[in-house]
Amino acid sequence: MTVDFPKVPHTTKIRNVRKNRQSAITTFFLNLMRSWTGIIGFIIILILLLISIFGQWIVPFDPLLADFSKKLLPPMTGGHLLGTDQLGRDIFSRIIMGAKISVIIGLSTVLIAGTFGTIVGIISGYFRGWVDVVLMRIVDVQLSFPFILLVLVINAIIGSGLRNIIISLAIGGWVIFARVIRSEVLALREQEFITACVATGVSKFGILFKHILPNLFTPIIILSSLQIGTYIIAEASVSFLGFGVQPPEPAWGNMLNEGKDYIFSSWWLITFPGIAIMITALGVNLFGDWLRDTLDTELKGE
Amino acid sequence: MLDFIIKRLIQVVVVVLLALTVVFFLIRLSGDPTALFLPPDASREQIEEYREMLGFDRPIYIQYGEFMVNAVQGDFGQSLRSKEDALPLVLSRLPATFQLAISALILSLLIAIPLGVLSAYKRNSVFDRISVALTVLGQAVPSFWLGLILIYFFAAQLNILPSGGAGSIVHLILPMITLAAYSVARFTRFTRSTMLDVLRKDYIRTAKASGVPTIRLVGRYALKNSLIPIITLVALDLGTLLGGAVITEVVFAWPGVGRLLMQSLMNRDFPIVLAGVFIVALIYAVINFIADILYAYVNPQIRVK
Amino acid sequence: MEKILQVKDLRIQFNNGKENIQPIRGVYFHVNKGETLGIVGESGCGKSVTSLSVMGLLPQKTSEIVSGEILFNDRDLSRLTEREFRKLRGNEISMIFQEPMTSLNPVFTIGKQLSEPLRQHKKMSKSKIRETIIAVLKQVGLPRAEQIIDEYPHQLSGGMRQRVMISLALLCQPKLMIADEPTTALDVTIQAQILELLKNIKRKNDMSLILITHDLSVVAEMCDRVVVMYAGEVVEEAEVNELFDQPLHPYTQGLIQSLPSNNKRKSKLFSIQGQVPKPSEIKEGCVFANRCPFVFGKCLTETPPSFQKGKHISKCWLQDPEEMEVKRIGESSTVIS
Amino acid sequence: MENQVLLSVKNLKKYYEISQGMFKEKIVVRAVDDVNFTVMKGETFALVGESGCGKSTTGRAILRLTEPTDGEVIFNGTNLALLPYEKMRSLRKHMQMVFQDPYASLNPKKSIRQILMEPLKVHSKFDKKESLQKVISILQIVGLSEYHLDRYPHEFSGGQRQRIGIARAMILQPDFIIADEPVSALDVSVQSQVINLMLELQKEFGLTYLFISHDLSVIQHMTDRVAVMYLGKIVEIAKTEDLFNNPKHPYTQALLSAVPITHPKEKKERIILKGDVPSPANPPSGCTFHPRCPFAMEICKSELPDQARFEEGHTVNCHLYSQNKEEINYAISHS
């Protein structure tokens, strides 16, 4: 009982109707234009990225060069826009260089924690069984310990430095990804379109890679963008407490740590690095919120 | 309900034991433990002697077993510096931390819930916009920096509040505000969005259709529905609050567990670190446990079962 | 006959942040005292929006009544303040919603939720309130009313919850009850129970009922008169028998003919081609023109007025006496609007 | 081709266990409890019942979209319930499914081209060019066109999405399609379009349907035989016309009488059932329908009724028909 499909003449050209669709980038900017906060966040991030890439060429002074004759100069004196610190180093230059450290830490932590957490989340959520039970118990245990404290303890044990603070943050941060991605996978698994794939005869791995993974892209992007801000603030806190990035590296956190002893005499030491952290976190958060709002509505359709 | 409580209690125990295990192995795996326990200028003989004394020459699983057996009995050894017993030392600092954390929590809830409700009720008004802007800003300000700025203004400039230390209620004001700031921002924002969600629900429309005035709708009805997710968030955030307490304690020289833990980490005084981790994990697990029960109380769908 | 509700030229506009759309474009209908009026139409035709506007429950920020009147006992509801509306809602007009599962608040007991309209509109003591609620719960056929009053919604089945919703709407003995798809979420056997209940209650309480539904058989079962809505307009209005015997608008004809029971078993069902236009796609001419089997030139360019034949109104050029080449016969055929 | 058995379901069971905590026994929900029926080649067999009666779970258990707890599903001589996953996967090209919710059953991130190419790729039926030809021709068959190839599901209306769902099920040219409430999410005017499409496809390709629905008028219109389900069990099976003209089980009678009239002048005798459907986690003893049954007898409370057979394969599970005739007449005349 084979009934053939009606023949379609071979001359039929397959038209591509993509022409009248917006490209992804155009859509991105059109959506961005609708939100003030999104634009602000985007601009802050853009500036941050630019100065962390080109910072070393635009700094007016060597950020590491100490000059005791110029120590604790207030802002706008001697060509020092934001003044100098207790060793006579230019604060403006140090903040610019600090941006690079924050960006490196934020991005690499999100990359490591995100990748690891996502993998765990997918394994846990898709294959379930005892693997899921074990992994989620671990996540539960870790989540039952304050993030910042965990990072501090780990960092104190494994030692300071840029690499180690990234490792500490990643160890502290992967669980959020694992938790969120797992619940996304669980929700996706129950979706009718996944059942439809099983009914079609798509293999388990086909379903995972072709149907579940692409649908995880959005939650991963949203979560990552929101986590970067957390990581940057956490790093600053850890460095402020004397762990993390060590002097003389100009991280915003340890600048505040060094400056806090001069709080009664020289306000600028603690003011500007803090503002830098705040603006960065603000930009990342605003952008992340905007991303979540637009992508979420996109997910839901119209 | 009873087996729910028992189940959660078992979970608390597991969490605490696992937290200890992880920190124990992290410390052991991060290098020669004896070196960590002794000042860097110790002689070779001293190290060997110490190693034997602390039993580090034995296989690690025996050390682990012994540590856990002792830990369960509350014995974490002595501080390497002051030679005080570790756990009692940590416990003696606990009231100060509680004082700070609880006052900050109460302060933030007192501000955040009314603010969030009002913001949702007057959505898109000037008041709402300002409150949203402040919450966004509040979440971006690192708490230790806020602490420094407060010290600068109120201690250094105005000289009306102490910059650190403990003792009287005035000492509490700045640390409490510092610690509460982030939570205020987060809770306000969450209360607002939860309220907005609830106000869109079918059952709110039903109440409206029975002639309930908006004020009562928001204050009496929607608020109770919103409490369930708010309690969940507050419980989850207590960890952040405790973590923030550590930093705040350091900034304001507040004599709590956090400051002790920080000093011990600096000094590599690991018995105290372990005792501190034990206490923090225990507190956090217990808080979550209480939150779960509270949650069941507010949510009749769980309670009635 | 006394008209309890009159809706005249109602136009409602929604703003979704990007653009303005008008899901309701000039709706006319009325409800006589003591009758059941059915409003039928498919999803998106504006039947629910219309009913919400009568209740004053449209979202305040994003929607706006652009023009028209909603006369309830000769009082224009479209100009009422929120405070004035509140005194009406649940008191003189009440409403039953489609989803009994989500329409009751999960964290309050049934009694607490039912006491609300009485608290707002009647001065009653607590014990009197409780008494009244139990009486109404019994009236809607709920067993164990004395216990149910202290239970939470999740302890009840869908059918029971819908009974609770009906009792909520009934508490203050309203003059008009609006039921928005009251049985759509329910199973057939439960639907039969609820429809029966609505019929009895309407009779006993001497009120008028607006029944909003997509289901023609519910209309056949329940209604005295029917308004058919399509794409934000009323396309036909008639007494129920007349509508089923002699539908005038091609859309109504199509709906009735496409019911499986009106077709020979296993045969191809009659079906209306194409799809409902989106509000943004509606242009000049008749809204149904793109799907109408009888479409002709005028339909595409001019919006038809409502033609009236006795009590039967239809918004279709085919009913134009000139088009039909039927001479006007006195008053029986006049053009309104 | 007539009278050839395509699918036979024997003693199919699907139980769910719900944990009640450590100290309480698990609750067993008997979603599908000992279901038996056969589907002939080329016919449309309906499963009808109210929500929670287990009709959808039965459909899913047959295709092993949910693993059956027990029982046999014999399709063309193979017992699907015992097949290893990979074998089952390759057999799926012969049996497909159309889902109720056309919004949820299409992956929002995939274009129509990707959605329709996938089944062909999975079962490596054709090369790329041929596949595309198939996709285009199936789109035309279901009333869409190649113009829609690169659009995404959210750009379509409900009816169009259901057409796409049907196209996906049809593209592998299966012998058997399970349609789970395929038209209940659709508007009336679109509903008839989709029913027509399904009827046409059946005629053209000789398809066999298992049609799951709660809508009795649709079932009456398009199916050949019907099984009525109540609380996980089949209570009556008959030819569609027989069932609608002469329902035997009290539940079927009540169900049919509850169907709304289609013309206001129609008068109908209603059997209004008492109460609600009990929970399948805690079904009544004996015949599960007895608490609501107007004819319930003593025996119904304790014993499960056997199947009574009538002419033309009409079977009923009810004590009224296993007792002697006089008692039945007594019960009916006193109702």
Side-chain angles (χ1 to χ4, degrees):
Chain A
M1 59 160 263
T2 47
V3 181
D4 266 335
F5 285 87
K7 292 273 183 297
V8 176
H10 278 278
T11 47
T12 318
K13 265 198 182 164
I14 314 300
R15 264 180 309 160
N16 202 336
V17 243
R18 263 180 204 284
K19 260 180 260 165
N20 54 1
R21 311 167 145 279
Q22 297 160 353
S23 72
I25 296 170
T26 326
T27 324
F28 174 85
F29 280 105
L30 276 178
N31 277 327
L32 192 59
M33 283 326 205
R34 284 209 204 100
S35 157
W36 268 110
T37 51
I39 294 173
I40 295 171
F42 183 69
I43 290 173
I44 292 175
I45 289 178
L46 206 65
I47 292 174
L48 198 69
L49 285 176
L50 286 177
I51 62 175
S52 61
I53 295 170
F54 303 107
Q56 47 194 317
W57 293 294
I58 58 169
V59 289
F61 295 90
D62 180 348
L64 298 179
L65 186 71
D67 181 352
F68 288 98
S69 64
K70 289 184 179 169
K71 72 175 186 182
L72 296 175
L73 287 180
M76 312 296 279
T77 44
H80 297 284
L81 187 63
L82 303 178
T84 62
D85 67 6
Q86 72 284 359
L87 300 178
R89 296 173 296 195
D90 180 48
I91 291 182
F92 179 68
S93 305
R94 287 178 68 74
I95 285 179
I96 296 252
M97 291 313 285
K100 187 174 174 179
I101 293 176
S102 286
V103 167
I104 289 175
I105 287 171
L107 288 182
S108 22
T109 307
V110 116
L111 205 66
I112 299 170
T115 312
F116 185 67
T118 303
I119 292 172
V120 170
I122 289 172
I123 292 173
S124 223
Y126 192 63
F127 296 106
R128 306 297 308 273
W130 63 269
V131 186
D132 179 37
V133 174
V134 171
L135 287 173
M136 281 308 114
R137 258 310 92 86
I138 296 173
V139 168
D140 278 347
V141 169
Q142 188 175 329
L143 277 178
S144 70
F145 204 75
F147 169 70
I148 187 75
L149 212 55
L150 188 71
V151 175
L152 260 174
V153 171
I154 294 172
N155 197 241
I157 292 170
I158 66 175
S160 306
L162 190 64
R163 191 193 50 159
N164 282 353
I165 183 68
I166 291 172
I167 294 173
S168 311
L169 285 167
I171 294 177
W174 69 276
V175 280
I176 298 279
F177 282 89
R179 190 35 93 67
V180 172
I181 297 305
R182 172 178 176 271
S183 63
E184 288 286 338
V185 172
L186 283 184
L188 278 170
R189 264 171 58 111
E190 298 304 313
Q191 294 275 316
E192 196 93 308
F193 69 82
I194 297 295
T195 316
C197 289
V198 179
T200 310
V202 184
S203 66
K204 279 187 176 168
F205 281 92
I207 291 175
L208 179 59
F209 287 109
K210 286 194 190 143
H211 293 271
I212 295 201
L213 272 186
N215 281 292
L216 288 178
F217 186 68
T218 309
I220 291 175
I221 290 292
I222 293 171
L223 189 60
S224 301
S225 68
L226 291 173
Q227 282 302 103
I228 288 180
T230 312
Y231 296 149
I232 288 177
I233 291 191
E235 176 272 321
S237 310
V238 173
S239 299
F240 170 75
L241 292 172
F243 300 99
V245 182
Q246 295 296 307
E249 281 295 320
W252 295 335
N254 68 35
M255 288 170 73
L256 286 169
N257 184 28
E258 292 173 316
K260 74 172 188 291
D261 297 336
Y262 302 88
I263 189 166
F264 286 87
S265 55
S266 315
W267 56 271
W268 55 95
L269 293 198
I270 55 151
T271 306
F272 299 116
I275 291 176
I277 299 172
M278 191 180 76
I279 290 177
T280 305
L282 192 69
V284 175
N285 287 352
L286 285 177
F287 187 70
D289 284 343
W290 168 79
L291 211 56
R292 181 186 55 200
D293 292 347
T294 35
L295 291 181
D296 264 4
T297 45
E298 221 171 75
L299 269 189
K300 282 170 199 145
E302 283 139 87
Chain B
M1 190 72 197
L2 182 72
D3 62 72
F4 170 72
I5 292 177
I6 293 174
K7 208 172 172 180
R8 293 290 288 116
L9 270 177
I10 294 174
Q11 229 168 325
V12 168
V13 174
V14 171
V15 161
V16 172
L17 292 183
L18 274 172
L20 279 178
T21 305
V22 170
V23 179
F24 174 85
F25 281 104
L26 259 180
I27 292 174
R28 288 298 188 277
L29 292 176
S30 64
D32 184 356
T34 327
L36 289 179
F37 277 65
L38 280 177
D41 53 344
S43 71
R44 183 165 293 247
E45 292 81 46
Q46 252 179 314
I47 294 177
E48 284 305 319
E49 190 189 336
Y50 213 86
R51 175 173 285 167
E52 228 167 275
M53 192 181 94
L54 292 175
F56 289 154
D57 49 344
R58 290 177 299 163
I60 188 144
Y61 59 89
I62 293 186
Q63 294 180 40
Y64 169 67
E66 199 176 70
F67 164 73
M68 289 303 272
V69 168
N70 288 337
V72 169
Q73 293 164 355
D75 178 10
F76 288 85
Q78 291 176 338
S79 161
L80 300 180
R81 298 269 152 151
S82 65
K83 304 292 176 201
E84 281 175 90
D85 277 344
L87 190 65
L89 183 63
V90 173
L91 287 176
S92 71
R93 299 291 189 88
L94 206 53
T97 300
F98 271 153
Q99 194 186 18
L100 176 61
I102 290 173
S103 55
L105 178 67
I106 292 173
L107 178 72
S108 54
L109 290 178
L110 280 181
I111 299 174
I113 291 182
L115 207 63
V117 170
L118 218 59
S119 215
Y121 175 54
K122 296 195 171 275
R123 188 152 85 108
N124 290 337
S125 65
V126 179
F127 173 81
D128 178 38
R129 277 164 206 277
I130 291 174
S131 122
V132 168
L134 282 179
T135 58
V136 171
L137 205 66
Q139 283 186 293
V141 177
S143 62
F144 62 94
W145 183 61
L146 181 68
L148 291 180
I149 295 297
L150 288 178
I151 291 176
Y152 176 74
F153 276 110
F154 291 99
Q157 292 296 309
L158 301 173
N159 203 11
I160 50 172
L161 288 170
S163 70
S168 66
I169 192 91
V170 283
H171 287 94
L172 183 63
I173 295 175
L174 290 184
M176 179 176 74
I177 294 173
T178 305
L179 186 53
Y182 178 81
S183 303
V184 168
R186 197 166 145 86
F187 295 164
T188 307
R189 203 167 173 203
F190 189 76
T191 306
R192 176 181 181 271
S193 66
T194 309
M195 283 295 284
L196 287 178
D197 264 1
V198 170
L199 287 173
R200 260 182 241 122
K201 289 270 159 56
D202 283 355
Y203 50 76
I204 293 298
R205 189 182 58 185
T206 306
K208 221 172 169 185
S210 356
V212 181
T214 321
I215 265 260
R216 187 171 160 78
L217 207 63
V218 173
R220 183 80 182 82
Y221 278 66
L223 186 60
K224 188 160 178 192
N225 291 104
S226 310
L227 274 183
I228 298 170
I230 290 174
I231 288 177
T232 315
L233 180 87
V234 169
L236 280 175
D237 263 27
L238 284 174
T240 318
L241 200 74
L242 276 178
V246 174
I247 296 164
T248 313
E249 284 176 11
V250 173
V251 174
F252 290 95
W254 185 264
V257 178
R259 185 147 168 270
L260 178 70
L261 204 59
M262 274 312 300
Q263 286 165 335
S264 314
L265 279 171
M266 282 286 192
N267 298 333
R268 319 215 121 204
D269 196 347
F270 285 105
I272 295 186
V273 172
L274 281 168
V277 166
F278 170 74
I279 289 298
V280 172
L282 188 69
I283 293 172
Y284 193 41
V286 167
I287 289 171
N288 272 317
F289 170 69
I290 295 170
D292 272 359
I293 291 174
L294 205 60
Y295 183 83
Y297 176 73
V298 188
N299 191 347
Q301 290 185 30
I302 295 180
R303 194 198 329 158
V304 175
K305 269 186 188 165
Chain C
M1 218 178 296
E2 200 182 330
K3 292 174 181 171
I4 188 163
L5 182 79
Q6 276 178 284
V7 172
K8 291 179 182 170
D9 193 30
L10 183 67
R11 286 167 201 275
I12 296 172
Q13 183 167 296
F14 274 67
N15 187 313
N16 61 3
K18 291 180 208 168
E19 58 195 336
N20 289 328
I21 49 169
Q22 256 200 36
I24 301 292
R25 290 172 285 93
V27 160
Y28 290 86
F29 67 87
H30 68 271
V31 185
N32 292 323
K33 205 167 177 205
E35 78 168 347
T36 303
L37 176 78
I39 301 183
V40 217
E42 298 175 278
S43 50
C45 73
K47 55 189 193 300
S48 289
V49 175
T50 308
S51 65
L52 288 177
S53 71
V54 174
M55 287 294 284
L57 288 177
L58 288 173
Q60 285 169 355
K61 297 262 158 57
T62 52
S63 66
E64 187 193 356
I65 295 182
V66 188
S67 76
E69 290 179 319
I70 304 169
L71 297 175
F72 175 70
N73 282 338
D74 299 325
R75 196 158 159 219
D76 189 358
L77 301 186
S78 65
R79 299 197 199 332
L80 288 192
T81 63
E82 177 64 23
R83 179 182 281 271
E84 290 167 318
F85 238 128
R86 218 169 59 219
K87 287 187 185 139
L88 232 61
R89 278 189 217 130
N91 190 15
E92 290 181 64
I93 312 177
S94 61
M95 189 158 177
I96 304 165
F97 300 97
Q98 173 176 359
E99 278 296 335
M101 300 317 253
T102 55
S103 293
L104 289 168
N105 196 324
V107 304
F108 292 105
T109 60
I110 302 298
K112 169 90 185 127
Q113 295 183 55
L114 290 188
S115 67
E116 208 54 66
L118 295 174
R119 273 182 60 118
Q120 296 303 329
H121 305 302
K122 307 269 188 252
K123 286 201 171 87
M124 273 189 197
S125 68
K126 270 203 171 163
S127 58
K128 180 82 175 118
I129 286 182
R130 198 176 163 87
E131 233 170 76
T132 317
I133 292 173
I134 290 177
V136 175
L137 285 176
K138 282 184 177 154
Q139 199 192 338
V140 298
L142 279 168
R144 314 184 287 115
E146 288 87 355
Q147 285 143 39
I148 281 181
I149 190 169
D150 293 317
E151 285 180 6
Y152 288 93
H154 71 272
Q155 292 167 286
L156 308 179
S157 70
M160 287 164 90
R161 289 189 207 188
Q162 197 59 300
R163 283 174 194 268
V164 170
M165 285 299 293
I166 293 174
S167 63
L168 178 67
L170 209 57
L171 272 165
C172 293
Q173 291 167 321
K175 299 191 180 79
L176 175 66
M177 190 187 275
I178 303 174
D180 186 358
E181 305 265 9
T183 57
T184 307
L186 305 173
D187 279 319
V188 239
T189 56
I190 311 294
Q191 162 166 316
Q193 293 174 358
I194 297 290
L195 291 182
E196 198 59 39
L197 174 68
L198 278 175
K199 263 188 221 166
N200 290 336
I201 275 176
K202 203 207 92 186
R203 203 174 45 231
K204 273 186 209 150
N205 292 279
D206 186 33
M207 56 181 192
S208 311
L209 180 66
I210 299 180
L211 191 71
I212 294 160
T213 180
H214 70 280
D215 190 341
L216 280 171
S217 44
V218 171
V219 169
E221 186 102 13
M222 300 283 296
C223 300
D224 303 315
R225 231 153 36 81
V226 190
V227 162
V228 182
M229 284 188 73
Y230 181 80
E233 294 177 11
V234 171
V235 294
E236 184 157 6
E237 182 193 317
E239 307 231 289
V240 70
N241 284 321
E242 170 110 4
L243 187 93
F244 278 85
D245 289 338
Q246 264 194 330
L248 291 181
H249 198 283
Y251 174 64
T252 320
Q253 291 167 0
L255 275 188
I256 292 172
Q257 281 173 41
S258 64
L259 288 178
S261 41
N262 289 341
N263 288 260
K264 203 169 146 265
R265 225 172 79 78
K266 288 269 177 184
S267 68
K268 192 174 169 187
L269 289 175
F270 180 88
S271 77
I272 305 170
Q273 296 310 307
Q275 284 140 45
V276 186
K278 291 180 189 144
S280 54
E281 293 166 1
I282 293 171
K283 295 181 198 85
E284 274 298 283
C286 170
V287 277
F288 189 59
N290 65 333
R291 303 175 76 186
C292 184
F294 311 116
V295 63
F296 59 103
K298 203 170 182 179
C299 305
L300 299 170
T301 51
E302 275 180 74
T303 308
S306 299
F307 297 99
Q308 187 164 13
K309 256 190 176 175
K311 286 179 178 171
H312 199 148
I313 298 169
S314 131
K315 202 172 182 181
C316 173
W317 280 121
L318 288 175
Q319 301 310 317
D320 185 353
E322 287 166 28
E323 290 296 334
M324 286 166 86
E325 293 177 344
V326 174
K327 285 173 192 159
R328 285 175 188 240
I329 311 164
E331 273 78 30
S332 69
S333 168
T334 45
V335 178
I336 61 168
S337 121
Chain D
M1 209 161 104
E2 288 276 311
N3 294 328
Q4 229 178 319
V5 174
L6 181 72
L7 173 82
S8 79
V9 174
K10 290 179 187 165
N11 306 101
L12 187 70
K13 289 177 186 148
K14 175 69 196 181
Y15 294 173
Y16 294 97
E17 290 188 341
I18 299 176
S19 169
Q20 281 288 94
M22 290 185 296
F23 305 118
K24 285 183 201 146
E25 254 182 81
K26 279 180 182 163
I27 291 181
V28 178
V29 178
R30 301 173 175 212
V32 178
D33 197 8
D34 206 1
V35 159
N36 293 281
F37 63 88
T38 53
V39 180
M40 302 294 167
K41 224 165 226 177
E43 78 170 343
T44 303
F45 186 87
L47 284 178
V48 68
E50 298 178 277
S51 53
C53 72
K55 54 189 193 301
S56 285
T57 315
T58 306
R60 279 162 198 248
I62 290 170
L63 288 187
R64 288 194 41 201
L65 298 176
T66 165
E67 289 297 321
T69 311
D70 193 22
E72 290 178 23
V73 177
I74 295 164
F75 178 80
N76 260 342
T78 325
N79 184 358
L80 301 182
L82 293 177
L83 281 187
Y85 187 86
E86 279 300 305
K87 279 253 175 65
M88 179 67 206
R89 196 164 76 75
S90 62
L91 264 186
R92 287 190 189 279
K93 56 177 171 282
H94 302 299
M95 54 194 101
Q96 288 290 310
M97 182 140 180
V98 176
F99 295 87
Q100 168 173 13
D101 187 347
Y103 295 78
S105 60
L106 299 173
N107 189 338
K109 290 267 157 82
K110 302 273 173 188
S111 67
I112 303 314
R113 180 201 300 269
Q114 289 168 312
I115 288 171
L116 294 180
M117 287 291 257
E118 179 156 40
L120 298 173
K121 238 189 251 169
V122 166
H123 296 282
S124 37
K125 272 201 138 175
F126 308 99
D127 66 29
K128 224 176 164 188
K129 203 168 168 192
E130 273 179 322
S131 296
L132 196 58
Q133 295 296 334
K134 292 280 171 202
V135 168
I136 293 166
S137 67
I138 195 78
L139 272 178
Q140 287 166 348
I141 289 171
V142 300
L144 298 167
S145 71
E146 62 172 295
Y147 171 74
H148 297 107
L149 267 178
D150 290 299
R151 303 218 165 176
Y152 287 81
H154 69 89
E155 298 174 68
F156 293 90
S157 70
Q160 286 174 316
R161 281 184 230 197
Q162 198 55 296
R163 287 171 191 272
I164 296 163
I166 291 173
R168 174 176 56 192
M170 282 300 299
I171 197 160
L172 288 164
Q173 289 178 261
D175 309 319
F176 178 52
I177 286 185
I178 295 186
D180 185 359
E181 303 265 13
V183 295
S184 35
L186 305 175
D187 269 324
V188 199
S189 71
V190 183
Q191 203 169 338
S192 55
Q193 295 173 2
V194 172
I195 290 173
N196 284 345
L197 174 64
M198 288 187 70
L199 285 170
E200 272 164 37
L201 289 172
Q202 182 170 41
K203 215 180 273 170
E204 195 158 339
F205 299 102
L207 285 168
T208 308
Y209 287 135
L210 177 64
F211 193 89
I212 300 169
S213 178
H214 70 277
D215 188 334
L216 287 150
S217 62
V218 173
I219 284 187
Q220 186 175 20
H221 183 78
M222 67 176 294
T223 67
D224 300 302
R225 286 196 304 137
V226 188
V228 182
M229 287 188 76
Y230 184 78
L231 267 183
K233 290 185 192 303
I234 290 182
V235 296
E236 183 164 4
I237 302 181
K239 288 196 164 169
T240 305
E241 279 168 310
D242 273 359
L243 189 99
F244 280 86
N245 293 332
N246 183 18
K248 289 189 188 297
H249 196 284
Y251 175 65
T252 317
Q253 291 167 356
L255 194 65
L256 292 183
S257 84
V259 175
I261 52 175
T262 50
H263 193 286
K265 282 176 187 151
E266 194 179 327
K267 286 286 168 264
K268 219 170 171 176
E269 276 297 309
R270 282 273 151 77
I271 307 169
I272 303 253
L273 287 178
K274 293 169 279 182
D276 291 307
V277 184
S279 151
N282 186 19
S285 60
C287 170
T288 48
F289 186 58
H290 84 257
R292 304 177 75 196
C293 181
F295 310 118
M297 303 175 288
E298 258 331 291
I299 188 174
C300 303
K301 292 177 189 162
S302 52
E303 271 174 60
L304 212 64
D306 287 329
Q307 195 178 61
R309 291 168 186 281
F310 295 86
E311 64 286 348
E312 298 215 37
H314 194 147
T315 61
V316 184
N317 288 58
C318 177
H319 283 301
L320 286 178
Y321 302 95
S322 51
Q323 297 285 310
N324 62 55
K325 276 253 160 81
E326 278 166 36
E327 259 183 69
I328 305 169
N329 290 337
Y330 174 83
I332 291 175
S333 61
H334 285 78
S335 64

